[in-house]
Every structure is written in C-alpha cells, then in structure tokens.
Amino acid sequence: MKELVLASNNAHKIEEIKEILANYNILSLADVGFFDEIIEDGVTFEENALIKARIISNYTKKIAIADDSGLVIDLLNGEPGVYSARYSKEKTDKKNIEKVLTKLNGKESPAHFVSVIALVTPDGEEITFRGECHGKIISEQRGNNGFGYDPIFYIKKLNKTFAELSNKEKNSISHRKNSLNKLAGYLREQINEN
Ligand code: IMP
C-alpha cells in the first residue's frame, strides 16, 4: 500500500482524509515522529500549504500532503484569509466571529471558504489543489455544530449555516471535500499511469 504523510495532527482532518484516500496508508506527524512547530508565514493558502508539505517531505523522504484553509469575505477585501485562525488577538472562534461581525457593522457579505492541499514528493515535485465553498456571512449566529466561522456562514440553497448542518452534510459540500476530491483524482491518475 502506498504511503502518504499528512502534515497535520488535527484528528478531524486526518479522519476525513483517510476516508477519502482509503487506498493509501496515511501517516500523521506523530506517526513519523515530527513534533516541531512549522511557521506558516506565507501570504497565500498555496504558499502556506507548500511550506508545510516541503518541510515534512524533506524530513521523511516520503510523499507529503498538507492543507491550509480559511474564510474570504468580499466586503472585507478578502479578510480574514490566511489569518483566519488568528484574526482576533485572542485567537478563539468566538472572538474571531465577533471581529468579523463588528467590521461588517450589520451588513451581510458574499464570502467563500478555501481549502488548499499541497503535495510534495522527495524528488521535488510540487502541486496544489484548491477547493472552495461559496455562501454569505449573515449578521446573526445560527447553529451549534462545526467550528470556526460556521455559525455565520450561510448557504442559501440549504437555508442553513454550516453550523446547522450535520458533519456528514457539511463534509459532502465543503471546501475541504472539494480539494480532497481533486487530490484523490490526481492520485488515481498517477496509479493508472504507473
Ligand atoms: P487551518 O487550515 O487549520 O490553519 O485553519 C484555518 C482557520 O480557518 C480555522 O481555524 C478556522 O477559523 C477557519 N476555517 C477553515 N475551515 C473552516 C470550516 O470548515 N468552518 C469554519 N471555519 C473554518
């Protein structure tokens, strides 16, 4: 079975990726004994995902994948973007949401989530896969599921926020599902060609 190292210790992401890439043996950072902090100082999702995947591929000499994600809000000129996890100084979901709502000052705005997965091989091949999910930011919080900005991210055709969806429903339409599907398609092509 082919091996891939996933540059993440986030149990939720590891599970989701294992489900979609069922033909691969997915190793976590703990599995390969990597415990250092990786500084994500890129200014795009692609850069940050590549920074992580490069370091882990170089460390393990195996194929590595890493993801970076965040929320892009049109009326805030793309904020919080790559700073989504650390938008407020407290860096909590609650304070991050409060900062968005304060800045929007009662207005709604088109927005989308982005997930970029980078794949880096030991011989230097680098490729990124981008998934997006489009919706809008509403001014009231709805729902208790999910994490991050889910309670204010509204999908019109479902008449629900991400936080009002079950995990299964969210995972079937999410930005991460989208980027992972692209990665899975690429890996399938590689197997057929080799
Ligand atoms: P990272 O990709 O783990 O660095 O996470 C980036 C940040 O983007 C998270 O901490 C959340 O604030 C936000 N984010 C990414 N994906 C989602 C999502 O599916 N729902 C809500 N917030 C998200």
Side-chain angles (χ1 to χ4, degrees):
M1 198 187 232
K2 276 205 154 194
E3 269 182 351
L4 282 179
V5 186
L6 174 62
S8 172
N9 278 323
N10 178 320
H12 171 79
K13 284 186 188 170
I14 296 172
E15 268 325 294
E16 203 178 334
I17 289 177
K18 277 187 173 169
E19 237 171 67
I20 293 185
L21 302 179
N23 298 329
Y24 281 77
N25 184 19
I26 308 285
L27 305 173
S28 69
L29 289 181
D31 292 333
V32 298
F34 185 94
F35 299 104
D36 293 349
E37 193 195 346
I38 298 178
I39 311 287
E40 298 173 30
D41 55 2
V43 296
T44 64
F45 296 109
E46 278 78 4
E47 278 173 20
N48 278 339
L50 280 167
I51 288 170
K52 291 181 264 191
R54 272 186 207 124
I55 290 175
I56 299 309
S57 178
N58 192 36
Y59 175 82
T60 56
K61 308 292 177 227
K62 295 178 193 290
I63 301 175
I65 54 174
D67 94 312
D68 196 47
S69 60
L71 176 65
V72 176
I73 303 176
D74 294 13
L75 279 186
L76 300 183
N77 298 317
E79 284 185 21
V82 291
Y83 306 104
S84 292
R86 48 198 153 112
Y87 195 42
S88 62
K89 69 176 185 303
E90 295 84 356
K91 299 180 188 160
T92 61
D93 289 347
K94 183 169 176 278
K95 292 288 178 186
N96 289 345
I97 287 179
E98 276 174 24
K99 183 167 176 183
V100 165
L101 295 181
T102 303
K103 284 204 161 199
L104 282 174
N105 195 17
K107 291 198 278 289
E108 297 188 333
S109 172
H112 60 279
F113 277 115
V114 175
S115 158
V116 170
I117 296 184
L119 178 148
V120 174
T121 68
D123 52 16
E125 183 190 348
E126 296 190 343
I127 179 162
T128 59
F129 307 90
R130 173 179 273 246
E132 296 186 353
C133 182
H134 289 251
K136 77 173 176 186
I137 303 302
I138 53 171
S139 49
E140 45 150 4
Q141 303 195 39
R142 285 171 42 176
N144 297 307
N145 302 329
F147 71 102
Y149 299 90
D150 283 350
I152 54 170
F153 187 76
Y154 174 82
I155 305 285
K156 190 169 175 209
K157 72 168 187 275
L158 301 176
N159 185 23
K160 281 181 180 169
T161 65
F162 259 10
E164 292 175 307
L165 300 178
S166 66
N167 270 351
K168 204 171 161 209
E169 283 172 316
K170 179 182 164 186
N171 290 344
S172 69
I173 59 164
S174 78
H175 44 309
R176 206 165 288 110
K177 169 73 171 183
N178 219 254
S179 58
L180 278 172
N181 276 348
K182 289 184 184 173
L183 168 71
Y186 172 82
L187 291 171
R188 267 196 304 274
E189 270 173 33
Q190 294 291 304
I191 290 171
N192 288 341
E193 277 171 20
N194 294 318

